[in-house]
Amino acid sequence: MIDPLQSAGRIAATGLQAQSTRLRVVSENLANAQSTGATPGADPYQRKTITFQGEFDRLMGTTGVSVGEIGRDPTPFEVRHDPGNPAADADGFVKVPNVNMMIEMADMREATRSYEANLQMVKQVRSMTNMMIDLLRTRG
Amino acid sequence: MEPVHLFSLASQHAHWASVRQSVITGNIANANTPGYVAREVTPFSAVMSDTALTMASTAPGHMQPSGSAAGAQSWDVQSTGAAVALDQELVKAGEVNRAYSLDTSIMRSFHRMLMASVRSA
């Protein structure tokens, strides 16, 4: 039977991985918030979305987390008037990415907070394991 | 109460605390998973009074999201019915840390007492 502390360490690791992937997706969205298309009338950068799913490990009997899928946000693009832009259509309108800065920043903060919570669990598991191993040390 | 019985109590509590730790870690990791319901282990006091506890029934792999009355003598994992509250989980983790620290300290001091009595004999 798998030691519960060891399995806790592995679960926390899956949490760290999932949250850092989420942060990566947020960074991509933020970096491409202004990326328009290259040819006239072309679609700009489409916002990426990420979903998580529980991952039940039958061997350990625990549920870690994994990235479900990285999809695209189907929200329609807004347009702005910019005739000089390479992506401007016949009327001079350019489609802009459907990235909302406020939402991405809030998502970033939540991802960081979750990441820190998972990291706290890693530290705690490590310290608990050390407490148990310390019992073996004879100090007179 | 004999010292040996207290020693096994502390080690059982430490095992229970480590199972609780793995459940809390699972909750925190799945805090953003849609549809995930927070889990919790049965309180130690409910398990303590059961003297027929065997090692097989206390296996940490014994996880049933619905929780069963038949398996209530082990520290079964049950659903709380609510989504994960990150702050609450971290507070629980703090409790687990203190409990585990207390248990290992008790185990160490009893071991020391036993060794002292053996040496002085």
Side-chain angles (χ1 to χ4, degrees), chain B residues 52-117:
Chain B
L53 207 58
T54 63
M55 281 312 291
S57 65
T58 63
H62 193 168
M63 285 185 118
Q64 289 152 20
S66 56
S68 64
Q73 62 192 27
S74 71
W75 31 76
D76 264 345
V77 179
Q78 295 153 4
S79 293
T80 59
V84 174
L86 212 56
D87 310 303
Q88 267 186 8
E89 296 299 323
L90 288 169
V91 167
K92 283 187 213 165
E95 286 171 16
V96 164
N97 200 8
R98 281 194 297 279
Y100 202 80
S101 174
L102 180 66
D103 293 331
T104 52
S105 305
I106 289 172
M107 290 196 278
R108 185 185 296 113
S109 64
F110 273 113
H111 178 254
R112 211 178 283 149
M113 280 190 334
L114 282 168
M115 294 307 287
S117 65

